[in-house]
Amino acid sequence: MSTQPLLEAQDLGYSYRNRGPALADVSFAIDAGVNLGIVGESGAGKTTLLRLMLGLARPSTGRILSNGITLDPGNRTALREYRRFTQAVFQDPYSSLDPRQNVGRIVAEPLRSLRLETGREAIAARVQRALDAVGLSPDATERYPHEFSGGQRQRIAIARAIVPNPRILLADEPVSALDVSTRVRIIDLLAELGHKHAGSPDPLTVVLVSHDLSAVAALCERMLVLERGRIVEQGDTGTVIAHPDHPYTRRLLDSVPRLPRR
Ligand code: ADP
């Protein structure tokens, strides 16, 4: 296995127009097979960081390296290549799925837009594999998003994200719109998708952006804590949770009283 990180953020900074920095001096690396949790309160800079990691905005300072190459949001060809490698799942499974398209078309979308597959049968086979991986039945392809529950819709969104065989899955608060028992099942699914490929040359690595520390503890081997745009702590999840160094991390932990300790 290569020792080069899958993704590396070097001294990232970002400022919105006429505002102080939303991110400053943010550096971290994502290693293959090591899920990363990004936590912080509302306004800490999580969404801004995610936008930079998706190539939707250009950092004001610093850079993001993907397999050693600087991510350039202005380079459409490079961005398409990057998209095949980094896919995302968002918070709201109601607004993220087009209600007029059946699930077969929704899940196939990245294969078409990234020009990875053109043959109908090849597309259908990959869609079926993705649906199977997320625990949806094969006949889901003919149905529409409104026929599914919130948890099932998030499974559809996850199937769409994994269909191009990405190396990184960026999950932005993927369970906060769901009820508690469904949350656990979706976190379990994300853990399973990562671990199934653990040890293979191309494991899927999950980056979970969340204010929910118990989800991070359940899924992520490493975590970093953002406060007002800066990383105040990062390391092994078990260590950070057992021995938080920073007062902000302790406050965050205190607000989650039933967190399982490792
Ligand atoms: P989080 O996702 O952790 O809640 P954000 O990345 O959304 O944090 O926000 C980080 C900071 O950037 C906040 O101070 C927020 O007010 C500011 N911010 C976010 N989006 C914009 C925007 N479009 N224009 C100006 N300021 C913004």
Side-chain angles (χ1 to χ4, degrees):
M1 206 151 89
S2 94
T3 50
Q4 182 161 271
L6 280 179
L7 198 94
E8 203 174 351
Q10 294 180 341
D11 305 319
L12 275 187
Y14 189 84
S15 298
Y16 292 95
R17 194 175 302 227
N18 303 326
R19 296 281 299 256
L23 288 178
D25 302 325
V26 168
S27 296
F28 60 90
I30 299 171
D31 291 317
V34 183
N35 295 339
L36 172 71
I38 297 177
V39 304
E41 288 173 335
S42 177
K46 303 184 298 294
T47 306
T48 304
L49 179 55
L50 199 83
R51 287 175 51 77
L52 297 180
M53 290 169 78
L54 283 169
L56 296 174
R58 186 185 298 280
S60 311
T61 60
R63 56 186 186 158
I64 289 179
L65 296 168
S66 155
N67 280 324
I69 299 167
T70 301
L71 177 61
D72 173 8
N75 182 335
R76 292 185 61 175
T77 313
L79 209 54
R80 192 159 64 228
E81 187 58 34
Y82 178 72
R83 268 292 146 30
R84 151 188 205 161
F85 167 94
T86 307
Q87 284 280 316
V89 178
F90 298 99
Q91 175 173 352
D92 185 356
Y94 293 89
S95 64
S96 68
L97 304 177
D98 184 343
R100 294 157 305 182
Q101 300 213 350
N102 69 26
V103 170
R105 278 200 80 81
I106 289 172
V107 174
E109 190 276 332
L111 296 177
R112 298 181 203 276
S113 64
L114 300 174
R115 301 176 201 166
L116 296 177
E117 204 81 77
T118 48
R120 285 181 55 154
E121 281 175 21
I123 289 176
R126 288 181 69 165
V127 167
Q128 285 300 339
R129 268 207 303 277
L131 289 176
D132 184 53
V134 302
L136 288 172
S137 73
D139 59 11
T141 51
E142 302 302 323
R143 295 160 64 196
Y144 288 81
H146 73 265
E147 299 175 56
F148 294 88
S149 67
Q152 287 173 321
R153 286 186 208 201
Q154 204 54 303
R155 286 175 195 269
I156 296 166
I158 294 169
R160 174 176 58 186
I162 63 171
V163 80
N165 291 330
R167 304 290 310 279
I168 297 180
L169 182 63
L170 297 176
D172 183 16
E173 302 278 7
V175 297
S176 39
L178 306 175
D179 64 71
V180 173
S181 62
T182 311
R183 281 181 194 188
V184 173
R185 288 202 291 273
I186 294 292
I187 292 296
D188 283 350
L189 169 63
L190 291 171
E192 189 191 316
L193 290 173
H195 294 152
K196 200 182 289 180
H197 300 285
S200 82
D202 298 320
L204 179 72
T205 304
V206 181
V207 177
L208 177 65
V209 177
S210 184
H211 65 271
D212 180 351
L213 274 163
S214 54
V216 169
L219 183 64
C220 302
E221 289 82 12
R222 287 185 67 82
M223 63 181 275
L224 63 83
V225 183
L226 275 180
E227 181 192 25
R228 282 186 252 136
R230 291 176 183 272
I231 296 179
V232 291
E233 187 148 25
Q234 68 174 313
D236 177 78
T237 302
T239 309
V240 171
I241 285 177
H243 309 286
D245 270 340
H246 198 274
Y248 178 76
T249 314
R250 267 180 245 134
R251 277 208 308 283
L252 271 182
L253 285 166
D254 286 345
S255 65
V256 196
R258 287 181 298 117
L259 198 67
R261 301 266 164 167
R262 288 193 173 182

